[in-house]
Amino acid sequence: MLEQDTYALTDPRELRYLVQGHGWATLITAADDGPIVSHLPVLLDHGGGSDDADEGGDVPVIVGHLARADAELHRLGERKVTVVIQGPHGYVSPSMYQAVPYVPTWNYVVAHLHGQPDILDAEATYDVLRRTVDHFETARPEPWRLDSVTPYARSIAGHTTGFRLTPTRVVAKHKLSQEKPRAVAARVADALAGDDPHRNPELADAMRKALVTGA
């Protein structure tokens, strides 16, 4: 991914919030005969397994799990990987700018986490499964818990592989019209938040946050 100072996302806290809010990730491993790609949920991890985005270090440490067969294809733990976290994104029409000359573009927030993951043992993997369920069930009025089916969950957990990735390199970008005049970028955010055919409130919120911080 092209690194550009204008769009660089370097705030560790914002990176953690990106992971916390967009946990469906892409895992890529460079194999001898081409890339291997899997899709999987990931969580923040630090200090006793907490996934609180307000806590953590300079890089977002993540945990995740995938089917054991997929982990074997990746040779997970033996090779370096890239985990892609895709945040809000969407099409921007020139008509949103209410100015000329402009062309269409795509605004987005994304992070690439590079490193070599550590494989977790069976008990730590089960803890990742439990935490993953808890994380995504939080929004429900009556959250379902993995512990409600412990015998069954334990019986299938052995077919999964858990891992922890402490990135050795992070490349993150939030391309949110920062290069445009402030009033023009604000009009795009308003369009995305309104009744435009390409309405995208989450992307509008990200743009407005970038406008406020100037980052």
Side-chain angles (χ1 to χ4, degrees), residues 2-211:
L2 178 63
E3 296 186 63
Q4 298 165 283
D5 290 343
T6 301
Y7 305 128
L9 178 57
T10 58
D11 185 333
R13 188 166 178 265
E14 291 302 318
L15 288 169
R16 292 194 297 271
Y17 272 109
L18 176 62
V19 175
Q20 186 184 55
H22 299 85
W24 184 242
T26 302
L27 172 70
I28 305 165
T29 302
D32 295 338
D33 56 351
I36 299 171
V37 182
S38 293
H39 305 278
L40 67 161
V42 297
L43 303 174
L44 282 172
D45 185 73
H46 52 76
S50 169
D51 62 354
D52 186 348
D54 289 318
E55 302 176 7
D58 293 336
V59 296
V61 179
I62 61 171
V63 290
H65 73 280
L66 66 169
R68 175 173 289 180
D70 287 331
E72 291 172 353
L73 283 176
H74 283 272
R75 288 173 53 186
L76 202 66
E78 300 176 32
R79 294 168 165 165
K80 293 181 179 180
V81 304
T82 299
V83 175
V84 180
I85 309 293
Q86 176 68 68
H89 63 94
Y91 177 78
V92 175
S93 168
S95 61
M96 296 179 183
Y97 295 113
Q98 299 179 37
V100 294
Y102 287 111
V103 294
T105 192
W106 201 276
N107 279 0
Y108 59 88
V109 182
V110 69
H112 295 180
L113 312 182
H114 303 271
Q116 187 162 322
D118 296 317
I119 300 302
L120 301 178
D121 63 24
E123 197 57 37
T125 293
Y126 190 82
D127 185 60
V128 169
L129 296 174
R130 179 186 54 76
R131 286 177 52 205
T132 300
V133 171
D134 289 349
H135 176 76
F136 290 103
E137 285 282 331
T138 299
R140 302 185 65 81
E142 296 183 14
W144 184 88
R145 301 301 183 196
L146 193 64
D147 291 342
S148 66
V149 292
T150 297
Y152 176 69
R154 290 279 184 182
S155 72
I156 62 175
H159 299 287
T160 65
T161 298
F163 67 90
R164 176 179 290 104
L165 175 64
T166 302
T168 55
R169 179 171 174 248
V170 176
V171 180
K173 194 170 183 176
H174 56 166
K175 179 183 173 296
L176 300 170
S177 300
Q178 295 98 320
E179 82 288 2
K180 303 292 191 298
R182 189 181 185 87
V184 173
R187 287 198 292 270
V188 174
D190 288 345
L192 291 169
D195 57 3
D196 189 273
H198 290 99
R199 185 175 185 271
N200 191 329
E202 188 180 19
L203 183 58
D205 287 345
M207 289 187 64
R208 286 169 172 163
K209 189 171 186 179
L211 284 171

